Amino acid sequence: MRTYVVEPQQIFQPSLLELLRESGCSIVRVQERLDPLDVVRTHPELLFFDDENIDEHTKRSLQFLVDSMPNLRLCIYAHGPLRDLRTHTSTQVLHLEKSAEHEALLGALGRFVVTA
């Protein structure tokens, strides 16, 4: 699955990218910040988003992506669910808890990617 990754901390990128590849994702771009126009141009099937220090601008950018790309699958990697995001019935969202073990993350991602 063509995957666009937003991970603000470069130190975690290698292990995250390995996890995504193990679960069946092919990485098309890795960014430290969400760039919604780049996401639209890249046209991934999955947006993996680490919500570290999410602000209002980023929430608006995510909403823009959901509104303009209703079939884009979202994987939110966070300490809690992302609130206030209005999705379409076709939008699939997976919330991954940052405290989860590697095997649990791999299983959840693998199931999410396979159901595409």
Side-chain angles (χ1 to χ4, degrees):
M1 174 172 288
R2 292 176 35 83
T3 305
Y4 192 108
V5 179
V6 178
E7 169 53 67
Q9 298 180 35
Q10 286 185 349
I11 193 167
F12 295 120
Q13 288 179 0
S15 60
L16 174 61
L17 297 178
E18 182 60 30
L19 173 72
L20 289 166
R21 287 184 185 108
E22 284 180 56
S23 66
C25 297
S26 63
I27 310 304
V28 295
R29 180 99 74 236
V30 180
Q31 296 287 355
E32 292 179 25
R33 294 181 195 191
L34 181 61
D35 180 347
L37 295 179
D38 188 50
V39 174
V40 169
R41 281 190 299 267
T42 306
H43 202 72
E45 297 168 279
L46 171 65
L47 172 63
F48 183 95
F49 179 77
D50 183 327
D51 87 334
E52 195 73 34
N53 302 317
I54 191 168
D55 58 17
E56 284 304 313
H57 174 74
T58 305
K59 285 182 185 178
R60 285 192 303 275
S61 295
L62 278 172
Q63 190 63 60
F64 165 78
L65 289 171
V66 167
D67 292 342
S68 60
M69 300 176 73
N71 293 322
L72 177 66
R73 303 173 108 204
L74 300 175
C75 181
I76 309 296
Y77 188 52
H79 289 294
L82 184 63
R83 303 194 192 298
D84 305 327
L85 187 64
R86 296 175 317 279
T87 59
H88 300 275
T89 55
S90 61
T91 304
Q92 294 183 32
V93 180
L94 172 65
H95 171 259
L96 293 177
E97 186 65 41
K98 284 192 173 191
S99 62
E101 297 291 325
H102 177 83
E103 291 305 316
L105 294 172
L106 184 60
L109 271 167
R111 287 186 298 276
F112 192 63
V113 169
V114 168
T115 60

